[in-house]
Amino acid sequence: SSSSSSSSSSSSSSSSSTKEVLLPGHHLLIVDDSAVLRRVAYRLLNGLAGADCVAVSGGAEAVAAVKESLKPGARPFTCILMDSHMPGMDGATALHNIRTLAGSRTPVSIGVTADVMDDAARSLLREGAAAVLTKPFQLVQMTSAIHKHTVAAAALADAAPTADRQAPTARS
């Protein structure tokens, strides 16, 4: 569903020193069982931040979407925004399954929770989330976290040896 709600005033920046980090070129997977929160996140990240977004309602759908994105010719996700509490497969289990499936090609993930208790955040972090945001969140908070962690992941990937480019070894 393409959204033409970019008429919401993006000049309503009430932040004094916080600058929005826009996300053109990013391919994001939004995972939340709440249709309202999925729609809000989609409109913020797609409409205002310029990211290409896919939104799904649960962990199993997220695993399936990542599996599709790993196929030859498909566009891989740069980041997953994963809700912690969902019926069926929760966020931590979905992240575990995605890591198992994707291995070194696992997208950066950012956990999202309304839970003020630390257990949900700890579970997401344990399963590889780079950060956890607490709902409700703002566009600047989301885009800054996505930008920070995808840039860091890209730098690590560039520094890691690959089959094509082996790290130099010390020989005496």
Side-chain angles (χ1 to χ4, degrees):
S1 64
S2 70
S3 164
S4 61
S5 70
S6 56
S7 62
S8 46
S9 111
S10 57
S11 63
S12 65
S13 175
S14 61
S15 59
S16 55
S17 64
T18 311
K19 185 179 177 193
E20 290 181 20
V21 177
L22 299 180
L23 304 170
H26 281 272
H27 189 213
L28 308 179
L29 178 60
I30 300 164
V31 187
D32 201 305
D33 59 317
S34 164
V36 170
L37 293 175
R38 264 195 326 273
R39 193 167 27 254
V40 167
Y42 184 91
R43 287 183 177 160
L44 286 173
L45 294 168
N46 180 270
L48 295 177
D52 178 25
C53 300
V54 173
V56 298
S57 63
E61 294 90 342
V63 174
V66 170
K67 185 175 183 178
E68 283 298 310
S69 79
L70 295 173
K71 289 183 177 178
R75 185 173 178 202
F77 291 105
T78 53
C79 186
I80 301 168
L81 289 173
M82 180 70 71
D83 185 21
S84 60
H85 299 289
M86 296 178 286
M89 186 184 297
D90 67 6
T93 304
L95 288 180
H96 175 82
N97 291 345
I98 288 167
R99 273 194 6 227
T100 300
L101 170 76
S104 65
R105 296 174 61 200
T106 300
V108 169
S109 58
I110 296 175
V112 180
T113 183
D115 193 349
V116 293
M117 303 305 285
D118 286 338
D119 288 346
R122 272 197 296 271
S123 294
L124 291 166
L125 292 168
R126 195 171 29 253
E127 291 303 337
V132 178
L133 302 177
T134 304
K135 298 176 192 176
F137 38 75
Q138 297 177 343
L139 178 62
V140 171
Q141 184 185 20
M142 283 192 298
T143 56
S144 294
I146 292 166
H147 181 74
K148 173 184 175 183
H149 294 291
T150 56
V151 166
L156 285 173
D158 287 345
T162 63
D164 301 331
R165 185 183 73 226
Q166 292 295 321
T169 56
R171 295 207 165 116
S172 22

